[in-house]
Amino acid sequence: MVVLSIALQYYVHLKLNNDPGWKNIKKYSLSLATIQCLQWLMVAVYIVMFCYCFQVQCIVEIWTAEVVEYNVSYVYHSLFAYFDRDNVPLKGLAKFFKEYSDEEREHAIKYQRVLKKSMMI
């Protein structure tokens, strides 16, 4: 943070001395307290930027999990449809796969609700 503060001060110094557009700007001497406040403000900005990026990454991960849940539900439902036919033995497996398909679909719906709430913020 100190390096960033020094770099910013150097940049402003160069602009004030070399850029014609900055020639009429009055030079102020900033107190140490003001510099520390600016540093804390920069830290706060970085925290907000990190939280936003973190939120976006979380939304992407939740959406990915939702897609996976729907795909697994589809696979289980396909197996249910196969074992539910009249010419296939092991009828108990059809019920098993139907239950798992419904469960995975419920998980995907829960992810949808989480995404819906996160988008409203």
Side-chain angles (χ1 to χ4, degrees):
M1 187 52 95
V2 174
V3 174
L4 185 60
S5 174
I6 293 170
L8 184 59
Q9 289 174 4
Y10 180 73
Y11 174 78
V12 170
H13 175 74
L14 283 178
K15 284 292 191 178
L16 286 172
N17 292 328
N18 299 327
D19 192 344
W22 286 53
K23 288 286 184 193
N24 295 330
I25 297 176
K26 295 180 182 179
K27 297 178 184 177
Y28 292 102
S29 176
L30 298 178
S31 68
L32 180 61
T34 306
I35 292 172
Q36 288 175 342
C37 287
L38 288 173
Q39 288 174 343
W40 280 109
L41 179 64
M42 290 171 61
V43 168
V45 168
Y46 288 134
I47 289 172
V48 168
M49 288 171 49
F50 171 78
C51 290
Y52 176 75
C53 292
F54 181 75
Q55 181 184 11
V56 169
Q57 185 64 30
C58 285
I59 289 171
V60 169
E61 293 297 328
I62 292 170
W63 179 78
T64 304
E66 175 192 350
V67 171
V68 168
E69 293 288 340
Y70 272 124
N71 286 337
V72 172
S73 173
Y74 176 74
V75 169
Y76 281 143
H77 194 77
S78 298
L79 289 169
F80 158 72
Y82 174 78
F83 283 107
D84 196 41
R85 297 185 328 192
D86 290 334
N87 61 349
V88 176
L90 302 172
K91 295 290 182 189
L93 282 179
K95 180 182 174 191
F96 172 80
F97 286 122
K98 175 70 173 154
E99 289 172 0
Y100 271 86
S101 174
D102 293 341
E103 180 182 338
E104 296 300 326
R105 191 173 303 113
E106 287 173 12
H107 294 165
I109 291 170
K110 287 179 183 178
Y111 284 130
Q112 281 181 337
R113 289 183 185 135
V114 169
L115 284 175
K116 184 178 177 182
K117 288 179 184 176
S118 68
M119 297 297 182
M120 290 181 164
I121 295 176

